[in-house]
Amino acid sequence: MVSINPPDPDSSYLHKIWFGVLHFLLTIGSHWLSLWGAVTCTVTAVFIVMMFLLDTIGYFHNPYAGIIAFVVLPSIFVAGLVIIPIGIHLSNKKKRRQRASGEAEAERFPRLDFNEARVRHVISVFGFITLANILILAAVSYKGVQHMDSSEFCGQTCHTVMTPEFTAYERSPHSRVECVNCHIGPGASWFVKSKLSGSYQVYAVTFNRFPRPIPTPIENLRPSRETCEQCHWPEKFIGNRIVVKTKFSDDEANTPLKTVLIIKVGGGHLESGNAGGIHWWHMYSQNKITYIPADKQRQQIPWVQLADPQGKITTFVAADSKITADELSKIPVRTMDCIDCHNRPTHIYKMPGPAIDEVMLVKRVDPSLPFIKKQALDLLTKEYPTQQVARDAIKSGLENFYRTNYPQIFSTRQAAIVTSIAALQQVYSTNVFPEMRIAWGTYPNNIGHQDFPGCWRCHDDNHVSADGRKIPQDCSTCHDLLATEEANPKVLPDLLTGF
Ligand code: HEC
Ligand code: HEC
Ligand code: HEC
Ligand code: HEC
Ligand code: HEC
C-alpha cells in the first residue's frame, strides 16, 4: 500500500498544496472506477472549455457542434463525476473487508477526522474541484439551453425533417425571429412542455417514425396572444394597405397584368373612434369569434359565432352543411386568433404561378424570353422524385425548348437563359420538398381566397344566422378592387410613380 508522510507543520504553503493534491490523487486512484471517472472528467472538461471558448468567439455555425459541446460532452462529464465517489466507496469497502478479517467489528463508514492532515487535504482539494465543476456545469447548462433555443438547433439538427420549414423561414419576414418566439414563447411551463414534446420528436426522428409531411394545424400551438402579441400590438390601427400584384400571362410576350387592391386591414379601438376593418372585426380584444371546424385542417367551417362588444351573440350556420348538430357538438370550439388567418406567417410555401411571377418581376427570370412563363409553369408543376431530379429537368427542359424553337435566341441570349434556369431551380427547391412529401399547395394559406378557401371558409354568403344575417362576401367587404388583371391600370400612375 502506498502512503505518504504528512507534511511538516511548518513547511511552505506550496508544499502543503502539493501534499493535498497527492493525497487526493491517492484517494481517487485507490480504485480503477474512480480513476477512470477522474480521467474522463478531466479530458471532457478540457474539451468543454475549449468548445465553450470557440463558441463564444462565434466560431461555430454548425448545429451538431453545439450538441456535442453542450449536450454530449457534459453528459459524459457528469457520468465521470458520478462514478468517482462510487469507486472511492468500493475501495473503502475493500479496505474495510481486509481490516475486518483481523478485527472484531468493521467500521461501516470511513472516519472523517479533521485532525488528520490527509483528511483535511483531500477535503480541501475536493472542495476546490467541486467548485470548478459547478462553474463548468452552470456555464454549460446555460449555453446548452441557449443553444437548444436557437433557430440553428431547431431548424437544422434533424436535417430532412425541418428543411422545408427552415428554408421557408429563412426567406420570410420573420427570418430574424427565433423559432422559440412563436413555438414556445415566454415562461417556464411552455418551456418544459416543449422539451417534453421535443424528446418525443428526437425519438421519432431517430427511429424514422415521423409523419411526412408534418401535419398541420399544430394542435397544441401556444395561443398567439402569448406569442405573436409579444411583438405585434393587436389593437394597432393599420388602416388600408395598397397591394399591387403582377401576373405574367402565358403568351409569347409574357404580357404582365396588374391587379390593384386596397385591403382594409384596419384595427383600432371603439373608444378611439377608429375601429374597423379586418383586424378589428376578428380580434378578441373587442369582438370574439368562435368556430367549429369540420375537418382536421380547419378548411371547412360549418358553425361560427360572433360575440360583439355589446355582448350580443349571433350564431351563423352554413346552410348546405351535411354535418349534424350531434356531430358538431363533439368537436371542440375554437376561438379565432392570429393563426386562423396568418397560419403561414413564416413557413410561406408559395404557389407556382405567383412564385414565378415574383422572380420575373425582379428580372431574375428574364421576362423578355419568349414563353418563359408558360415553360416555367409547365416544368415546375411536374412531379419529381427529388429536388435534384427537378433541378436537372428544369435545366434540360428550358434548354431544349429554346434550342428547338428559338435557336437564334438560344445562341444569343445564353446568359439570360442560364440565370433564368438558376432562379427557377431555386423557386422549386424553396417550395417543393419531395423527401417530406411537400408539393405545391400541400399547406393551405388562409389569407385571401384564390388558391385555398381562406376567408371564404366563412365569408361565402352561405353562413346565415337565425335572423337572416350573413357573413358577407361582397367584394368590397375586405378590399376595394381598383383594377383586375389589366395591362395598364389607370389608377397606378395616379397612385404611385416608379411602378
Ligand atoms: C413568426 C412565427 C414563427 C416562427 C419564427 C417559426 N414558426 Fe414554425 N410555425 C408557425 C406557425 C404559426 C405554425 C403553424 C401552422 C399551422 O398550424 O397551420 C408553424 C408550423 C411549424 C411546423 C409544422 C409544419 C408547417 O410547415 O406548418 C414546423 C415543423 C415548424 N413550424 C418549425 C419551425 C422551425 C424549425 C422554426 C425556426 C427555424 C420555426 N418554426 C419558426 C410560426 C412560426
Ligand atoms: C419576436 C417578434 C415577433 C414575433 C414573436 C412575431 N412577429 Fe410578426 N413580425 C415581426 C417583425 C419585426 C416584422 C416586420 C418584418 C419586416 O417588415 O420585414 C413582422 C412582420 C409580420 C407580418 C407582415 C409580413 C409582411 O409580409 O409584411 C405579419 C402578417 C406578421 N408579422 C404576423 C405574425 C404572426 C401571426 C405571429 C405569431 C405567429 C408573429 N408575427 C410573431 C416580429 C415578430
Ligand atoms: C381575419 C383574418 C385575420 C386575423 C384574425 C388577423 N389578421 Fe393580420 N392581416 C390579415 C390580412 C388579410 C392582412 C393583409 C394581408 C395582405 O396585405 O396581404 C393582415 C395584415 C397583417 C399585418 C401586416 C400589417 C401591415 O403593416 O401591413 C400584420 C403585422 C398582422 N396582420 C398581424 C396580425 C396579428 C398579430 C394578428 C393577431 C393579433 C392578426 N394579424 C390577426 C388578416 C388577419
Ligand atoms: C371563422 C370564420 C371567419 C373567417 C375564416 C373569416 N371571417 Fe371575417 N368575419 C367573420 C364574422 C362572423 C364576421 C362578422 C359578420 C357580421 O356580423 O356582419 C366577420 C366580419 C368581417 C369583416 C367586417 C364585415 C363588415 O360587415 O364590415 C371583414 C372586413 C372581414 N370579416 C374580413 C375577413 C378576411 C379578410 C378574412 C380572411 C383573411 C376573414 N374575414 C376570415 C368570420 C370569419
Ligand atoms: C372576406 C374578405 C374578402 C372578400 C369578401 C373578398 N376578398 Fe378578394 N381578397 C381578400 C384577401 C385577404 C386577399 C389577399 C390579399 C393579398 O394576397 O395580399 C384577396 C385577394 C383578391 C384578389 C387578388 C388575387 C391575386 O393574388 O391576384 C382578387 C382579384 C380578389 N381578391 C377578388 C375578389 C372578388 C372579385 C371578390 C368578390 C366576389 C372578393 N375578392 C371578395 C379578401 C376578400
Side-chain angles (χ1 to χ4, degrees), residues 220-240:
N220 49 3
L221 194 68
R222 189 165 182 180
S224 56
R225 166 149 282 179
E226 294 153 27
T227 54
C228 318
E229 292 185 25
Q230 298 289 317
C231 297
H232 296 286
W233 179 31
E235 293 89 4
K236 180 170 182 270
F237 183 70
I238 294 164
N240 293 336

Side-chain angles (χ1 to χ4, degrees), residues 237-241 262-267 276-281 478:
F237 183 70
I238 294 164
N240 293 336
R241 178 177 180 175
I262 293 185
I263 304 192
K264 303 172 181 175
V265 185
I278 301 165
H279 278 175
W280 181 80
W281 271 91
C478 310

Side-chain angles (χ1 to χ4, degrees), residues 35-50:
L35 187 66
W36 182 237
V39 172
T40 311
C41 278
T42 317
V43 174
T44 39
V46 170
F47 274 109
I48 291 174
V49 171
M50 253 166 54

Side-chain angles (χ1 to χ4, degrees), residues 40-72:
T40 311
C41 278
T42 317
V43 174
T44 39
V46 170
F47 274 109
I48 291 174
V49 171
M50 253 166 54
M51 302 270 284
F52 190 91
L53 291 179
L54 286 177
D55 185 70
T56 311
I57 57 171
Y59 189 76
F60 291 141
H61 296 289
N62 180 334
Y64 298 103
I67 295 188
I68 291 175
F70 307 124
V71 182
V72 178

Side-chain angles (χ1 to χ4, degrees), residues 95-258:
K95 274 190 231 152
R96 261 178 273 130
R97 230 184 293 118
Q98 284 165 347
R99 248 178 270 154
S101 51
E103 287 173 28
E105 199 183 334
E107 292 165 23
R108 299 196 52 212
F109 290 102
R111 240 190 253 146
L112 285 184
D113 184 351
F114 284 91
N115 291 315
E116 260 184 56
R118 177 174 180 269
V119 170
R120 281 201 310 275
H121 291 151
V122 172
I123 296 279
S124 49
V125 175
F126 190 75
F128 175 76
I129 291 184
T130 305
L131 196 72
N133 286 343
I134 289 176
L135 279 179
I136 292 183
L137 278 179
V140 161
S141 26
Y142 173 75
K143 273 276 187 183
V145 168
Q146 206 184 32
H147 174 71
M148 282 195 259
D149 273 2
S150 74
S151 294
E152 287 85 42
F153 178 80
C154 305
Q156 290 180 303
T157 313
C158 314
H159 212 68
T160 331
V161 193
M162 288 297 144
T163 303
E165 281 72 27
F166 191 70
T167 311
Y169 155 88
E170 278 203 302
R171 307 170 67 80
S172 82
H174 290 105
S175 56
R176 295 290 176 274
V177 175
E178 301 279 349
C179 318
V180 291
N181 280 325
C182 294
H183 284 283
I184 304 177
S189 73
W190 280 87
F191 177 80
V192 173
K193 265 190 224 179
S194 77
K195 292 298 165 239
L196 289 178
S197 84
S199 319
Y200 173 76
Q201 286 160 22
V202 169
Y203 153 82
V205 170
T206 315
F207 295 97
N208 203 5
R209 284 276 169 85
F210 55 90
R212 299 175 179 83
I214 298 172
T216 55
I218 302 180
E219 298 288 342
N220 49 3
L221 194 68
R222 189 165 182 180
S224 56
R225 166 149 282 179
E226 294 153 27
T227 54
C228 318
E229 292 185 25
Q230 298 289 317
C231 297
H232 296 286
W233 179 31
E235 293 89 4
K236 180 170 182 270
F237 183 70
I238 294 164
N240 293 336
R241 178 177 180 175
I242 295 181
V243 173
V244 181
K245 305 214 173 208
T246 305
K247 179 179 170 184
F248 292 88
S249 319
D250 58 6
D251 56 357
E252 185 174 26
N254 312 301
T255 312
L257 301 176
K258 292 195 188 287

Side-chain angles (χ1 to χ4, degrees), residues 276-329:
I278 301 165
H279 278 175
W280 181 80
W281 271 91
H282 300 83
M283 283 335 292
Y284 36 81
S285 45
Q286 293 195 307
N287 285 317
K288 181 174 163 173
I289 295 181
T290 44
Y291 72 87
I292 303 180
D295 63 331
K296 268 206 143 18
Q297 283 211 314
R298 302 182 188 143
Q299 295 298 297
Q300 295 157 34
I301 302 184
W303 184 96
V304 184
Q305 194 167 68
L306 166 74
D308 71 14
Q310 290 77 40
K312 184 170 170 256
I313 290 185
T314 313
T315 308
F316 303 89
V317 181
D320 59 354
S321 173
K322 289 181 190 65
I323 194 162
T324 63
D326 191 42
E327 283 169 320
L328 268 186
S329 65

Side-chain angles (χ1 to χ4, degrees), residues 337-348:
D337 73 13
C338 316
I339 304 300
D340 290 290
C341 296
H342 296 284
N343 63 334
R344 303 271 127 215
T346 196
H347 312 296
I348 308 170

